[in-house]
Amino acid sequence: MTARIDGREIEPRNDETVLEAAERLGIAVPTLCRRAGLHPEGGCRLCLVEVGDSPVLQASCHTRLASGMQVRTHSPRLAALRREVLQLIVGEVPGASLRPDPQGNELERLMAELGVDAGPGGSAAAEVDATHPYLRFDRDRCITCRRCVHACNEVQGQFVYAVEGRGAESRLVFGRGSRFADSGCVACGACVEACPTGALFDRDRAEPEPAERTVRTTCGYCGVGCQLEVSASQGRVLRIRGVPEAAVNRGHLCVKGRYAHAHHRAADRLTTPLLREGDGFREASWDEAIAFVARRLAEVHETSGPRALGAMSSSRSTNEAAYLLQKLFRVRFETNHVDCCARVCHASTAHALGKVTGTGAATASFDDIERARLLIVAGANATEAHPVLGARLKQRALAGVPLVVIDPRRIELADYAVVHLQLRPGTNVPLFHALAKVLLEEKLFDEPYVRERCEGFEELASFLRGQSLDDAERITGVSAARIAETARLIGATGATLFVNGLGLSELTQGVASVEAYANLGMLTGSIGKPGAGMLPLRGQNNVQGNADMGGAPGTITGYQPVADPAVRAHAAQIWGKAPPAEPGWTIPEMLEAAERGEIRALWIQGEDVAQSDPNETHVRAALARLELLVVQELFLSETARYAHVIFPAAGVFEQDGTFTNGERRIQRVRAVVPAPGAARPDWEVIRDVGRALGLGWRYADPAEVMDEIAAIAPRLFGGVRYERLEGEGLQWPCPAPDHPGTGTVHAAGFLRGRGRLSAVPYVPSPESAVEGFPLTLVTGRVLDHYNVGTMTRRTPSRELAPEDRLDVHPDDAAAAGVAEGGLVAIESRWGSTAARARLTRRVARGSLFLTFHYPETHCNVLTGPQRDPESNCPEYKVTAVRIRAAEPAAP
Ligand SMILES: Nc1nc2c(c(=O)[nH]1)N[C@H]1C(S)=C(S)[C@@H](COP(=O)(O)OP(=O)(O)OC[C@H]3O[C@@H](n4cnc5c(=O)[nH]c(N)nc54)[C@H](O)[C@@H]3O)O[C@H]1N2
Ligand SMILES: Nc1nc2c(c(=O)[nH]1)N[C@H]1C(S)=C(S)[C@@H](COP(=O)(O)OP(=O)(O)OC[C@H]3O[C@@H](n4cnc5c(=O)[nH]c(N)nc54)[C@H](O)[C@@H]3O)O[C@H]1N2
Ligand SMILES: [Mo]
């Protein structure tokens, strides 16, 4: 039976409230405390409705619509009541009349609608809390509707707010502190989005300037690929919001995506091409700079051959730029020396998953987080490095889905986990094998799946018989009992979502770690199923895309191996010339060759290798030896200082193109503001250099480049066209114009045929027992800064994390005579630096944690040359170090 709302028929749905049903009919019921997607509060009394003949009014946000119900949402009686209620609410907020909201807000709109005026107001009782660089709180506007409480708890899971007192005496407080600055707020902005009165607002909301335009685009920071609504005026980004309906982020953002945008207008942006002159640079025209680069590259090619040139495409820039750069080097300079930052990032993950499944990308999608019955997060600090996904993981754990965290540090997610396996850095392989051993021995694995879909089972089984849990305990530091208990949890659940980060990749055993992790994915029958599978959290905004495009020495666009004659023949048809057959060098190999003088010319697009690559002293020596270094950059980075030519680049808000996120979703990037000065989009400049080299490249816009990408790699991108990328983009593989894209890969069988179980032996890191260097340094990230800090340090985020901190366990600190905040000298076999100490039990005894966000610390002088033998990924996660107090501890 149907129900009726305002006389209109409606079929009640499970769990739908009267208010939601009314919305479905397009009927707006006024409310101030309820917000779609959040738990209803039911406190404001504005959404009361009449039900049947009952004299008792019902809160529509709390009443389920049942069949046969007759609801009236608007009547003279309700209107009078709502006016009265709103009048009372407004009477309590002097701010509403004192300070009109420049952006307008829900309360003001409702007052206008119901004909309620602000009345005399009152005098401002409180000062606006302006202690946070991005958020503000104006108590005089707060109606304690608790929407911010719900948003903070239910979206981000940060639990910053509480309401103290009752009735008219109630007030919003910051749970952990009296001010924003010490509230534990992570500045995701969910509360600001939810606040109906403008009591919580963004600092840039106070901006009186109206937006000239608002453009949907993709965030330029991490590989989540959140969709942004960017408002701009006069060439400047004013404010950023999440796109509410976006598949990836559903309106949510993190501190960087939402607030850290000021870098685009930094005074030291590169605005004109620069040519080296003596120890410095002189300005040049585009024509001169492009002609110079074309001529010098051609000279090096002619005199020293293809092996003397190389390129690194930027994972911060677009697919179209990455595609053209690798094409330029492969076609014009006949070299496969092209690579990208995936090398120093998830190269091991991609290599291992490629071996195991047939493609190196995630097998699952972000939405599988909500579908999963068990979540395992290994070596990924998601709440800091992928905060929007981190928040979703946290919400699932809060909802009771078991979460297992595997990390040497007690990261925030570990606080929400049912099990935290706090292994020693670099010991993933024996830990994962031990888990697999228990699954096999106790017959807790998915036998039919393994029989039908996998190979290598007998080998793995006999290898695991030779392993012991006691050895695993000794090596990893995790007790055998803990391991067995965790394996039983996994076995009892079956299909599981296996999330991973760099803690599996950036090791000499990176590939082995991910192979052993993927064994668990196959033994549990997870790969190819919804709510399960392998979900590596990719790093940069376009690192997935960069590798997809062929930013790798062994594969052209679409992971097609250069060694395959059929691939070369197909490429020759489209490019007019085949790439060479021999795979080129990886980034570390290119830098070593440069140091030897074998590589003479390098083109580095938006990657600050002088700061981000390991063993910094040698990287700098390599850069200094180059005869031609071309750098495409936003800023004079540490690397750009070594350049002979610098091309000023348009940044994320200034160019059109596409990025591909960590779930293989190709999304549009759109110019919001013009690039400063003469800066130009990367792809355009590469095209023009190609033209200057006689390639006759015509591409008028990035969409034309995408058409060629579809043609050269039809199996993955054949159906990708710009027209199809409006809205939520497309997840590859998307082989045909009518193909909807692919959320779960390998559903119908592995791309490579059978999934490959791997009996990989454990080889300890060469840094694991170095005499005289007793501590293990782990390097990685914190929430507020991004990689080498070029961008976030040019925003108010600087105030959130002004300087680097070395995380030290209190016992290790005491042994070294180091106090909280004291300067610590850190030495490895490769170099030394210093940073201030933060004493914390989040790191285990014997290990330390440091970021690479600060050029002052330049932590990569400490990291060594070791890397995974198969993926060439450096071992950033394990370095043997020693520490001592660099200044006397306070008495
Ligand atoms: N705020 C912020 N977000 C970022 C970035 C940023 O710089 N700042 N960078 C982006 C990029 S490029 C990337 S690649 C991603 C990286 O994202 P993540 O991979 O999550 O980041 P990391 O901090 O490098 O390291 C992840 C975790 O690995 C753990 N770990 C270290 N050694 C081991 C080990 O042997 N085994 C296991 N199981 N764990 C270990 C560390 O303790 C750390 O918690 O983040 C992206 N997002
Ligand atoms: N010790 C240690 N070192 C590490 C890591 C670690 O965990 N520990 N992680 C490694 C990882 S995972 C990564 S991905 C690397 C990252 O290392 P990088 O790639 O060097 O780091 P980013 O800060 O992302 O810097 C890229 C540069 O791109 C520029 N840029 C931004 N947008 C654009 C654009 O559109 N066009 C152009 N041309 N330039 C642009 C920025 O100004 C910046 O200078 O660092 C690695 N280094
Ligand atoms: Mo990365």
Side-chain angles (χ1 to χ4, degrees):
M1 224 170 85
T2 57
R4 278 175 185 277
I5 301 180
D6 294 345
R8 292 167 62 188
E9 279 198 5
I10 182 165
E11 204 66 52
R13 285 183 189 166
N14 252 356
D15 277 352
E16 195 178 43
T17 62
V18 170
L19 192 140
E20 287 160 345
E23 275 175 354
R24 187 144 64 86
L25 289 173
I27 300 169
V29 182
T31 167
L32 277 175
C33 68
R34 176 263 182 189
R35 184 175 158 85
L38 300 178
H39 193 263
E41 173 68 24
C44 78
R45 316 304 290 162
L46 281 166
C47 74
L48 293 176
V49 292
E50 297 169 349
V51 178
D53 298 330
S54 165
V56 184
L57 300 175
Q58 309 260 10
S60 62
C61 71
H62 259 90
T63 308
R64 304 243 166 269
L65 185 69
S67 45
M69 233 182 206
Q70 308 267 349
V71 178
R72 231 168 3 147
T73 68
H74 289 82
S75 71
R77 175 182 171 214
L78 287 170
L81 184 88
R82 283 178 186 146
R83 242 192 317 276
E84 221 171 278
V85 170
L86 190 61
Q87 198 75 65
L88 281 173
I89 293 174
V90 171
E92 287 166 19
V93 279
S97 51
L98 286 172
R99 297 186 278 267
D101 187 337
Q103 305 298 322
N105 60 50
E106 274 179 65
L107 177 65
E108 289 181 1
R109 278 192 291 278
L110 208 54
M111 285 162 65
E113 191 186 310
L114 297 182
V116 169
D117 45 58
S123 53
E127 267 180 40
V128 173
D129 180 335
T131 57
H132 193 282
Y134 292 125
L135 290 129
R136 295 283 179 274
F137 176 54
D138 181 352
R139 185 172 297 290
D140 289 339
R141 283 182 190 280
C142 178
I143 58 170
T144 54
C145 67
R146 303 171 71 113
R147 272 201 202 172
C148 55
V149 180
H150 288 289
C152 189
N153 298 0
E154 294 162 28
V155 178
Q156 182 60 36
Q158 213 58 27
F159 305 94
V160 164
Y161 302 108
V163 172
E164 231 176 43
R166 318 201 97 239
E169 297 304 302
S170 67
R171 46 185 261 133
L172 186 72
V173 293
F174 301 106
R176 273 181 261 173
S178 54
R179 316 175 311 156
F180 243 132
D182 3 85
S183 67
C185 168
V186 292
C188 70
C191 56
V192 172
E193 286 299 318
C195 179
T197 67
L200 285 161
F201 61 105
D202 293 342
R203 179 167 89 171
D204 49 18
R205 186 187 171 102
E207 192 79 56
E209 202 175 333
E212 280 166 9
R213 54 194 313 228
T214 297
V215 176
R216 175 173 175 163
T217 188
T218 304
C219 182
Y221 284 111
C222 84
V224 176
C226 293
Q227 293 299 292
L228 313 177
E229 239 172 58
V230 185
S231 302
S233 169
Q234 317 237 331
R236 188 165 69 101
V237 171
L238 294 178
R239 67 192 73 88
I240 297 182
R241 300 184 54 207
V243 173
E245 67 278 7
V248 168
N249 55 309
R250 302 168 191 161
H252 195 39
L253 290 176
C254 78
V255 57
K256 295 181 297 307
R258 185 176 172 102
Y259 296 115
H261 52 72
H263 54 78
H264 85 101
R265 284 190 87 234
D268 60 347
R269 273 289 295 271
L270 297 169
T271 55
T272 175
L274 298 172
L275 294 186
R276 172 160 298 281
E277 195 171 65
D279 286 342
F281 295 96
R282 71 169 170 86
E283 297 189 353
S285 70
W286 274 107
D287 285 347
E288 185 189 5
I290 286 173
F292 177 83
V293 167
R295 180 167 53 79
R296 291 287 294 124
L297 286 172
E299 277 168 15
V300 173
H301 182 237
E302 269 154 41
T303 51
S304 300
R307 291 169 65 85
L309 303 96
M312 301 178 196
S313 47
S314 178
S315 299
R316 310 301 306 280
S317 194
T318 59
N319 281 318
E320 292 73 10
Y323 173 77
L324 288 182
L325 192 62
Q326 59 94 37
K327 181 178 171 187
L328 177 71
F329 276 72
R330 291 195 152 113
V331 169
R332 179 59 180 79
F333 301 120
E334 306 167 297
T335 180
N336 283 318
H337 293 343
V338 286
D339 206 5
C340 76
C341 83
R343 184 67 47 210
V344 296
C345 183
H346 270 293
S348 308
T349 307
H351 188 87
L353 289 181
K355 274 169 84 176
V356 169
T357 70
T359 165
T363 77
S365 293
F366 298 156
D367 278 352
D368 286 311
I369 292 172
E370 280 75 23
R371 290 189 276 256
R373 291 184 301 129
L374 171 62
L375 297 157
I376 304 192
V377 177
N381 184 13
T383 56
E384 299 204 58
H386 301 89
V388 166
L389 294 186
R392 282 166 67 173
L393 288 164
K394 219 156 99 176
Q395 287 301 332
R396 295 314 293 155
L398 286 164
V401 177
L403 167 70
V404 174
V405 168
I406 305 179
D407 201 295
R409 297 188 300 148
R410 189 168 179 87
I411 55 172
E412 187 193 359
L413 279 180
D415 297 346
Y416 297 83
V418 290
V419 188
H420 174 207
L421 302 179
Q422 197 166 10
L423 78 178
R424 294 198 181 96
T427 63
N428 297 305
V429 174
L431 180 67
F432 297 152
H433 281 334
L435 291 168
K437 182 182 171 75
V438 178
L439 291 179
L440 290 197
E441 274 180 0
E442 302 191 6
K443 301 237 172 334
L444 295 170
F445 67 105
D446 187 338
E447 203 270 330
Y449 181 99
V450 171
R451 181 164 24 83
E452 284 156 30
R453 298 191 51 172
C454 305
E455 65 188 28
F457 179 75
E458 283 314 322
E459 253 177 282
L460 178 66
S462 87
F463 171 79
L464 291 178
R465 277 193 290 276
Q467 308 287 307
S468 84
L469 258 60
D470 290 340
D471 282 347
E473 170 172 328
R474 188 177 44 76
I475 299 166
T476 65
V478 180
S479 77
R482 238 17 215 334
I483 295 173
E485 170 200 326
T486 308
R488 283 175 203 131
L489 171 65
I490 298 171
T493 313
T496 295
L497 190 64
F498 292 89
V499 176
N500 85 277
L502 295 177
L504 267 55
S505 183
E506 291 178 342
L507 299 164
T508 46
Q509 279 229 296
V511 173
S513 292
V514 178
E515 284 182 283
Y517 198 43
N519 282 344
L520 301 175
M522 283 176 285
L523 292 174
T524 50
S526 302
I527 300 178
K529 292 197 188 139
M534 312 306 294
L535 187 62
L537 302 183
R538 298 307 302 263
Q540 310 248 41
N541 52 317
N542 197 39
V543 64
Q544 179 68 54
N546 201 347
D548 297 349
M549 291 303 112
T555 50
I556 65 162
T557 320
Y559 302 97
Q560 305 179 83
V562 289
D564 182 344
V567 166
R568 289 202 306 282
H570 173 63
Q573 271 176 13
I574 288 164
W575 288 350
K577 191 167 169 189
E582 189 195 343
W585 284 329
T586 59
I587 289 177
E589 289 166 335
M590 282 195 261
L591 290 170
E592 283 166 7
E595 200 179 358
R596 293 193 304 268
E598 276 174 58
I599 281 211
R600 293 173 55 204
L602 268 185
W603 181 319
I604 301 183
Q605 186 200 15
E607 199 173 328
D608 196 4
V609 291
Q611 226 192 125
S612 54
D613 274 35
N615 209 3
E616 184 181 312
T617 317
H618 283 271
V619 175
R620 287 178 184 267
L623 295 176
R625 178 133 195 224
L626 288 167
E627 289 161 58
L628 176 64
L629 175 60
V630 182
V631 169
Q632 265 180 308
E633 252 297 343
L634 309 178
F635 297 102
L636 188 66
S637 64
E638 295 297 304
T639 304
R641 293 178 198 284
Y642 293 86
H644 300 89
V645 186
I646 304 177
F647 290 141
V652 59
F653 304 122
E654 302 150 2
Q655 58 181 332
D656 285 295
T658 57
F659 295 158
T660 305
N661 81 352
E663 54 172 4
R664 298 165 276 100
R665 192 185 294 274
I666 307 169
Q667 304 189 103
R668 277 298 314 274
V669 183
R670 297 180 183 85
V672 187
V673 293
R680 292 175 65 198
D682 295 306
W683 76 270
E684 231 178 76
V685 176
I686 302 164
R687 175 200 63 189
D688 289 356
V689 172
R691 279 181 185 163
L693 284 158
L695 289 173
W697 284 358
R698 263 195 279 280
Y699 318 104
D701 56 38
E704 275 183 32
V705 182
M706 183 55 82
D707 292 346
E708 188 175 306
I709 292 166
I712 193 137
R715 211 166 59 94
L716 299 188
F717 312 121
V720 180
R721 296 285 179 284
Y722 266 40
E723 311 85 84
R724 297 192 65 197
L725 297 177
E726 296 300 316
E728 309 312 315
L730 283 168
Q731 285 179 279
W732 66 254
C734 176
D738 57 352
H739 191 285
T742 309
T744 307
V745 196
H746 317 291
F750 287 96
L751 290 189
R752 73 179 287 275
R754 280 178 166 262
R756 184 169 170 282
L757 292 160
S758 326
V760 278
Y762 168 60
V763 182
S765 162
E767 293 281 315
S768 62
V770 181
E771 210 172 315
F773 298 88
L775 301 172
T776 304
L777 174 70
V778 173
T779 63
R781 296 154 169 79
V782 294
L783 174 68
D784 296 308
H785 287 301
Y786 191 82
N787 289 354
V788 302
T790 341
M791 294 159 92
T792 45
R793 285 163 48 96
R794 287 178 172 86
T795 70
S797 295
R798 228 182 17 252
E799 297 163 41
L800 292 169
E803 60 171 9
D804 220 349
R805 283 282 188 243
L806 176 75
D807 286 347
V808 193
H809 189 279
D811 295 353
D812 293 327
V818 169
E820 173 73 31
L823 195 65
V824 189
I826 318 160
E827 284 173 78
S828 76
R829 289 185 286 165
W830 318 101
S832 59
T833 183
R836 296 204 173 273
R838 170 170 47 213
L839 274 47
T840 169
R841 290 176 197 278
R842 294 231 171 230
V843 292
R845 223 178 277 125
S847 37
L848 307 164
F849 182 79
L850 188 63
T851 81
F852 66 113
H853 300 316
Y854 300 82
E856 298 84 352
T857 317
H858 58 130
C859 96
N860 278 319
V861 294
L862 297 168
T863 52
Q866 286 104 346
R867 44 191 199 245
D868 184 282
E870 280 180 85
S871 69
N872 258 301
C873 184
E875 184 153 71
Y876 292 118
K877 297 294 182 250
V878 186
T879 305
V881 297
R882 60 180 168 226
I883 58 169
R884 60 185 162 77
E887 64 189 27

